[in-house]
Amino acid sequence: MTHPLIVLTGASRGMGLAMARQLLSAGHAVLCISRTEQPALALHAEQSGATLLQWRHDLSDGQGAGARLESWLRGQDRQAWCSATLINNAGVMARIVPLSQADAGDLARALRVGLEAPMLLASAFLRATEDWAGPRKVLNISSGLGRRPMASQAGYCAAKAGMDHFTRCLALEEAAKANGARVCSLAPGVIDTDMQTQLRSAAPDDFPDQGSFARLKSAGQLTPPEEAAHRVLAWLARPDFGAQPVADVRD
């Protein structure tokens, strides 16, 4: 009996954790790559009778994560998996200040986790599974901020814009292959996560849009992580997944 294989980054909290739970409940085998392990997720996998691996890896080291993933995938029995999917979900936000006040190390880490690691992981995943017979997908979790500018968010906006555009390039490459992967960079909507807390808590003098994010929370317009995860996974399961290399769940 074969199972779908899902590789998921940033699965220890927020929407990533919710996606991992829902995937395990559906019987998928899930490999999570996060900075920390989630004991509750291991318990959920055991109760669901699903296969779960949790790797502790800081994705600011994207090169190391990519090499580890490629080595692991090459050691797998490809007949054991009916499909393989990479979900690049992890992301971090640099300190919310104008670029002129950004800390160099903080900004570099945000770009490594948000853009460099997804590119390196996608490269490793596609290379290692090139001759697998089943369908392959790459789902990059983007953001509306990759498509519109915002003051004091240059690092995050740039990472997500880069994610969108490398996905467009990747879609062209894979479309030219006989069994190319289907790829999509998907904005999941506005979700009630720790990142939203950071945005609401920023100093208004540093972040002119702070008030608009506070109003989203007070007006109840933030999507719970579980609902957002359901919407994203429903998009992933669509028969036309990848037809639009850059998309939004709200479309």
Side-chain angles (χ1 to χ4, degrees), residues 90-207:
V92 296
M93 186 176 287
R95 194 164 67 93
I96 304 169
V97 293
L99 189 63
S100 59
Q101 299 175 30
D103 175 80
D106 184 44
L107 183 60
R109 182 173 187 278
L111 290 169
R112 288 187 182 122
V113 174
L115 179 57
E116 185 178 274
M119 290 189 74
L120 292 168
L121 286 168
S123 175
F125 172 82
L126 292 169
R127 186 165 50 250
T129 61
E130 189 86 48
D131 58 354
W132 289 25
R136 296 173 302 139
K137 299 178 183 178
V138 175
L139 171 59
N140 293 322
I141 302 300
S142 184
S143 169
L145 291 186
R147 299 156 202 182
R148 65 185 180 92
M150 184 169 285
S152 299
Q153 283 293 289
Y156 190 77
C157 289
K160 294 304 185 183
M163 173 178 274
D164 285 350
H165 210 49
F166 99 70
T167 306
R168 293 185 182 99
C169 297
L170 184 56
L172 294 173
E173 296 166 3
E174 293 299 306
K177 299 177 182 178
N179 187 34
R182 289 183 285 164
V183 302
C184 180
S185 187
L186 183 68
V190 187
I191 309 166
D192 196 0
T193 62
D194 291 344
M195 198 169 285
Q196 283 290 320
T197 303
Q198 285 180 263
L199 292 165
R200 293 194 302 274
S201 303
D205 289 346
D206 290 331
F207 185 38

Side-chain angles (χ1 to χ4, degrees), residues 28-40:
H28 294 66
V30 183
L31 165 58
C32 297
I33 307 175
S34 308
R35 279 184 296 170
T36 58
E37 291 186 16
Q38 177 54 262

Side-chain angles (χ1 to χ4, degrees), residues 72-88:
W72 184 82
L73 287 168
R74 290 194 183 280
Q76 295 301 299
D77 175 7
R78 71 194 68 173
Q79 305 301 322
W81 312 112
C82 61
S83 65
T85 299
L86 169 65
I87 304 177
N88 281 310

